Amino acid sequence: MDVPDTHRTRLLILGAGPAGYTAAIYAARAGLEPILVAGLQPGGQLTITTDVENYPGFASAVQGPWLMEQMQAQAAHVGTRIIQDVITGVELGGKPFRATGDSGDTYEASAMVIATGAQARWLGIPGEKELSGFGVSACATCDGFFFRNREVAVIGGGNSAVEEALYLAGLASKVTLIHRRDSLRAERIMQERLFNHPKVSVVWNTVVEEALATEGKFRALRALKLRDLAGGGSYELPVDGMFVAIGHDPATALFRGQLKTDEDGYIVTEPGSTRTSIPGIFAAGDVQDRIYRQAVTAAGSGCMAALDAEKWLAHMPDDAPAVAAYDAVDG
């Protein structure tokens, strides 16, 4: 049986998406010898994204998983120690900051960058949880292959929903986008692609009330029970797959009650900075960005977090009280 280890570092980075890897690259190049704990989904949401068309530097679309592999390799190449573990608890009340992993290992750091990202939001309807993996999914690029030449539905009206619908249209025989309003929130160019695709239809002013299963021992999705918000009637839509794309929730449960968060759980940072309510703790990426939520902005805020942490550590002797360095930096 392995004996739990204690890992000590000047800078601990939690999360392995664009924000975490970029913070690691900048921190390692600054000589901070950071440790990055990858978490439940190494690579973040880009690992479930196929064509990435809007990340600067690539004339043609690149694959999300490949892009994250490159970021990971670069972070390791410049000196980041990457550990595959899941943080289950944090202690941010004093120095050093401490985190505990599912492995039993403990991580101690003088400064910390939180880049834990966000997680898919579910509808919370009957049948959804029970049929997860049996026709219900929140990741078209993960599970779309299983629905080749079959009929599927996508729930949502933002960029994520339209992206999922267009991706599935390349696999499925028919895609129905279901939205509770009468207009989409997605970018105009993406809406045009959606409306012009021959395999895609849109159902407006409608909500999903229940995911209905087949009979028998091995149950799978057979239809969705829909309710027309305009007319008030309910009806069934036969589908083999339902893909939920209604947004994400920030992965901040570990930090609530210790760090200041907004009403939706996003970590609050100072304007123009990645500083949080606790000196020495910085937040980057979707865990604190409720507006832009792009890979490039996450990477940019990861850079900011590393630079903020470097400045913090330069003014923070190991035995200094935790609040002192902000005054030194600002002064």
Side-chain angles (χ1 to χ4, degrees):
M1 182 175 178
D2 293 336
V3 177
D5 289 331
T6 298
H7 308 277
R8 295 180 176 87
T9 179
R10 298 185 70 195
L11 180 63
L12 179 64
I13 300 169
L14 306 182
Y21 282 140
T22 304
I25 291 166
Y26 274 79
R29 285 175 52 83
L32 299 183
E33 299 181 343
I35 290 176
L36 183 149
V37 181
L40 277 173
Q41 189 178 17
Q45 295 178 56
L46 279 184
T47 59
I48 57 172
T49 304
T50 50
D51 291 344
V52 178
E53 299 180 323
N54 56 5
Y55 199 87
F58 303 97
S60 301
V62 296
Q63 298 295 297
W66 175 86
L67 182 59
M68 297 317 303
E69 288 172 2
Q70 297 303 302
M71 289 189 187
Q72 179 184 15
Q74 185 178 5
H77 176 73
V78 295
T80 303
R81 184 181 175 194
I82 300 173
I83 298 178
Q84 303 300 322
D85 199 355
V86 177
I87 298 302
T88 58
V90 293
E91 299 174 26
L92 308 181
K95 287 192 62 183
F97 302 120
R98 289 184 174 87
T100 303
D102 184 62
S103 64
D105 287 2
T106 300
Y107 303 86
E108 296 184 352
S110 300
M112 183 184 296
V113 171
I114 298 171
T116 47
Q119 298 169 337
R121 186 178 297 158
W122 295 91
L123 296 171
I125 59 172
E128 181 182 49
K129 183 177 180 180
E130 294 80 2
L131 294 174
S132 178
F134 298 93
V136 174
S137 173
C139 176
T141 53
C142 300
D143 302 322
F145 174 82
F146 300 107
F147 297 90
R148 286 182 178 275
N149 302 315
R150 302 168 79 177
E151 296 189 8
V152 300
V154 176
I155 319 303
N159 282 343
S160 295
V162 174
E163 287 173 358
E164 300 262 283
L166 289 171
Y167 173 76
L168 289 166
L171 299 169
S173 60
K174 180 181 178 182
V175 178
T176 302
L177 181 72
I178 301 169
H179 188 40
R180 64 184 301 123
R181 298 183 177 86
D182 60 2
S183 62
L184 300 177
R185 303 185 308 276
E187 296 173 3
R188 181 61 57 184
I189 188 171
M190 297 186 66
Q191 292 192 41
E192 291 175 358
R193 291 179 187 175
L194 183 83
F195 297 145
N196 291 328
H197 201 291
K199 287 188 180 181
V200 179
S201 61
V202 181
V203 176
W204 303 104
N205 299 308
T206 298
V207 295
V208 183
E209 291 187 315
E210 186 175 357
L212 303 172
T214 56
E215 299 294 333
K217 183 177 180 181
F218 300 103
R219 292 160 62 84
L221 181 71
R222 67 169 178 84
L224 302 179
K225 182 181 179 182
L226 306 181
R227 179 163 58 92
D228 183 346
L229 296 176
S234 295
Y235 62 97
E236 290 187 13
L237 175 70
V239 292
D240 298 301
M242 177 181 80
F243 293 84
V244 181
I246 57 172
H248 295 77
D249 292 315
T252 55
L254 284 173
F255 315 106
R256 290 173 192 171
Q258 299 190 68
L259 279 174
K260 183 179 180 181
T261 58
D262 67 13
E263 64 276 11
D264 293 319
Y266 289 87
I267 294 176
V268 175
T269 53
E270 295 182 16
S273 168
T274 61
R275 298 178 181 181
T276 70
S277 58
I278 296 180
I281 305 290
F282 308 89
D286 288 359
V287 78
Q288 55 86 44
D289 176 14
R290 59 180 304 147
I291 299 175
Y292 301 106
R293 299 180 50 81
Q294 301 295 308
V296 66
T297 53
S301 66
C303 164
M304 292 170 59
L307 296 177
D308 287 343
E310 180 187 7
K311 185 179 293 185
W312 156 267
L313 289 166
H315 292 84
M316 174 55 72
D318 288 339
D319 58 350
V323 74
Y326 273 3
D327 295 335
V329 172
D330 289 338

